[in-house]
Amino acid sequence: MAAPASPMRSVDRAFDVLSVLDDARHPLRLSEIARRSELHVATAQRILNVLVDRGYAVKEEPGYVAGPASVATAHAFLVNNRLSQVALPVLQELAATTCMTSTLYVRVGLSRVLIARVEGLNPLRYQLPIGEKLPLHLGAGKSLAAWLPEEELDTYVDSVAPFTRISGERVSAADLREELQRAKEDGHAVSLSERVLDVTAISAAIHRDEQFLGALSVAGPSSDLPAADHPRVITEVRRAADAIAARCP
């Protein structure tokens, strides 16, 4: 008989299943959840039963999805998180100054999560909901990935590269490392049609000393943000990132 899992290991497995549900864009069958979380089907089923009972998962006809308790947890974070509170007026001012949509991201593992957003004068044609999880190697994520510890950065780059941006540009591991190094040295990152076609984003990390709190970004149609305007917007974004960092306790 196999030894029972330790309490800590059981918690890890539950979070593995939750992470799979968080990343899913459609209901997942039990076998798929077990495969993605690298668990035995019976173990995944036991965990899902608990998550369904607590409201963190819902069983629908096609499979399982994240449950409403996840929304309550996210709301508690937004209400109590000091970063999003102090950042909102800065985001509003930045959106008014640049006429671009301003957004605030925090890193969760090897992804970034949107925690605040203020629309610019010309809203983007797509809407990112609060809580959306996006990659680190595209767009504003580069301002977070650039500051990963060296060993973790190397592992991450090797896991995602080579890849192709929405523009069709092919990016090698060497290309991505060079871009991230430049973003770290320059204090900002510029992204052109990386995740969404004809959208330009300019981002900067929010940090105080060695503590990295998140990344601030403005984005808009590339036609509204020509290269000649980049220096001005970069200055505004970096100034806003510094202002947020200074206001956080």
Side-chain angles (χ1 to χ4, degrees):
M1 178 183 295
S6 68
M8 186 59 69
R9 177 57 180 152
S10 297
V11 172
D12 285 342
R13 289 172 173 175
F15 278 114
D16 288 342
V17 173
L18 273 174
S19 181
V20 169
L21 294 176
D22 286 345
D23 291 340
R25 292 295 177 266
H26 56 82
L28 297 176
R29 296 187 181 278
L30 171 62
S31 58
E32 181 63 15
I33 293 173
R35 184 187 68 80
R36 295 190 186 187
S37 57
E38 299 181 350
L39 296 173
H40 190 278
V41 171
T43 301
Q45 181 67 81
R46 287 196 298 270
I47 292 172
L48 283 167
N49 289 343
V50 174
L51 295 178
V52 168
D53 185 57
R54 297 297 181 92
Y56 285 94
V58 173
K59 186 176 183 181
E60 299 182 346
E61 185 61 33
Y64 292 88
V65 296
S70 300
V71 179
T73 300
H75 176 70
F77 167 79
L78 293 174
V79 168
N80 294 292
N81 178 251
R82 183 64 175 163
L83 177 62
S84 58
Q85 292 173 2
V86 303
L88 184 57
V90 179
L91 291 174
Q92 292 170 334
E93 182 179 354
L94 183 62
T97 302
T98 64
C99 299
M100 302 287 110
T101 296
S102 59
T103 49
L104 177 65
Y105 297 94
V106 294
R107 183 168 74 88
V108 177
L110 294 178
S111 299
R112 56 183 164 116
V113 175
L114 175 65
I115 65 169
R117 174 185 173 111
V118 176
E119 295 289 351
L121 181 63
N122 297 315
L124 294 166
R125 62 179 180 271
Y126 62 91
Q127 292 289 326
L128 283 178
I130 300 299
E132 183 77 5
K133 186 183 289 188
L134 298 169
L136 289 180
H137 60 284
L138 297 172
K142 294 188 295 185
S143 285
L144 292 170
W147 295 94
L148 287 171
E150 186 172 346
E151 184 175 342
E152 189 175 356
L153 175 61
D154 287 340
T155 300
Y156 177 70
V157 168
D158 290 338
S159 71
V160 298
F163 62 93
T164 302
R165 290 172 174 148
I166 193 68
S167 62
E169 179 186 9
R170 188 69 170 168
V171 181
S172 68
D175 294 333
L176 181 57
R177 284 191 180 90
E178 182 179 345
E179 285 189 15
L180 296 179
Q181 181 61 37
R182 187 163 60 249
K184 187 174 183 178
E185 293 173 354
D186 294 346
H188 68 271
V190 178
S191 308
L192 308 172
S193 293
E194 292 193 0
R195 198 179 60 82
V196 180
L197 198 62
D198 296 327
V199 168
T200 295
I202 294 175
S203 61
I206 302 168
H207 61 90
R208 187 176 50 225
D209 299 326
E210 297 301 316
Q211 183 182 16
F212 292 88
L213 307 174
L216 180 65
S217 172
V218 295
S222 297
S223 58
D224 292 345
L225 192 54
D229 283 348
H230 288 185
R232 176 184 66 85
V233 176
I234 288 169
T235 298
E236 295 292 345
V237 170
R238 294 186 62 178
R239 182 183 295 126
D242 290 342
I244 294 172
R247 296 182 187 188
C248 281

